[in-house]
Amino acid sequence: MSLVRLNIKGISYSQTQNGAYALILNEVDGDRKLPIVIGAFEAQSIAIALEKEIRPPRPLTHDLFKDFADRFNIIVKQVIIHKLVDGVFYSSIICERDENEEIIDARTSDAIALALRFQAPIFTYKNILDKAGIYLKINPENEEETETDSVLVDDLISDELETSNEPENYKAKTLEELNSLLDEAVANENYEKAAKIRDEISKR
């Protein structure tokens, strides 16, 4: 499978959902955008890394990781968004130390926050871009988002949250089914859902 390089176009926030953001990645040699729903903390960390002039008084989590890696001569070479399952993107951080390469699993938002700090390239596979990439109409003169772009991004965030917040009747499930659902929620990094399932298991 061929890799496609991505650049960060920017971060959009939902007009209707508080604390919901979409990270917009742009295909380097094309017009497709890859929108990824991220949390407020990750959005803040990425935004700070994009704005070179902003320096927080104390290191954020991703800054701490960068300082730690620098101290022990660990280099982040690249980030690869390698899998998309049920709307969740999975990423790998390719690191190197003493000419030994390691691959570390990471949430995509964390991986990109680190890639910015290490000035490492970001890639995804062509089949993922074919599946999840969208075309946003951009004004070529100023490359600013149009109202249509904002609506599309807002719809994306709303759809994502509605899907993740679908009510489920956990009381009707057996313990075996609940444990299976818990494993699935953790694997998909849906920790809010996992917490609800864990509460139901605890009540039993």
Side-chain angles (χ1 to χ4, degrees), residues 16 39 59 75 92 103 109 124 131 154 167 173 182:
T16 57
I75 300 169
S92 295
I103 300 175
S109 53
T124 191
K131 182 178 179 181
D154 201 53
K173 305 286 186 184
L182 179 61

Side-chain angles (χ1 to χ4, degrees), residues 13-171:
Y13 66 92
S14 171
Q15 302 285 347
T16 57
Q17 302 287 343
N18 289 333
Y21 294 82
L23 173 66
I24 310 298
L25 301 175
N26 187 71
E27 182 182 15
V28 170
D29 296 321
D31 298 322
R32 286 177 295 182
K33 310 290 185 291
L34 191 65
I36 300 174
V37 176
I38 61 176
F41 172 77
E42 291 79 10
Q44 179 193 50
S45 181
I46 291 171
I48 287 174
L50 288 170
E51 296 292 336
K52 304 297 183 184
E53 292 79 15
I54 300 176
R55 292 190 63 85
R58 300 290 294 156
L60 300 177
T61 303
H62 299 110
D63 298 319
L64 175 61
F65 185 96
K66 173 67 163 60
D67 294 341
F68 183 90
D70 287 345
R71 186 68 59 90
F72 291 95
N73 299 316
I74 300 169
I75 300 169
V76 171
K77 295 178 64 179
Q78 62 184 13
V79 163
I80 300 176
I81 303 170
H82 64 85
K83 187 167 67 172
L84 173 61
V85 179
D86 296 330
V88 177
F89 292 90
Y90 293 78
S91 294
S92 295
I93 302 173
I94 315 301
C95 303
E96 186 179 83
R97 181 173 184 265
D98 297 333
E99 298 184 355
N100 292 320
E101 192 172 275
E102 297 287 345
I103 300 175
I104 300 174
D105 181 46
R107 295 189 306 168
T108 297
S109 53
D110 290 329
I112 290 174
L114 290 174
L116 280 169
R117 286 163 170 80
F118 282 91
Q119 298 182 342
I122 302 165
F123 296 94
T124 191
Y125 289 109
K126 183 179 180 297
N127 64 321
I128 292 178
L129 199 55
D130 290 341
K131 182 178 179 181
I134 61 175
Y135 288 93
L136 296 181
K137 295 179 181 178
I138 301 297
N139 185 335
E141 293 182 2
N142 55 25
E143 292 239 337
E144 292 181 356
E145 287 186 12
T146 65
E147 291 183 8
T148 304
D149 299 338
S150 298
V151 169
L152 284 172
V153 169
D154 201 53
D155 287 346
L156 169 81
I157 295 173
S158 298
D159 291 345
E160 181 84 9
L161 292 178
E162 284 173 10
T163 301
S164 63
N165 291 330
E166 287 179 354
E168 289 199 46
N169 186 10
Y170 297 125
K171 292 181 181 179

Side-chain angles (χ1 to χ4, degrees), residues 169-185:
N169 186 10
Y170 297 125
K171 292 181 181 179
K173 305 286 186 184
T174 66
L175 271 176
E176 185 178 346
E177 289 173 330
L178 287 172
N179 282 307
S180 177
L181 286 172
L182 179 61
D183 291 341
E184 181 182 338

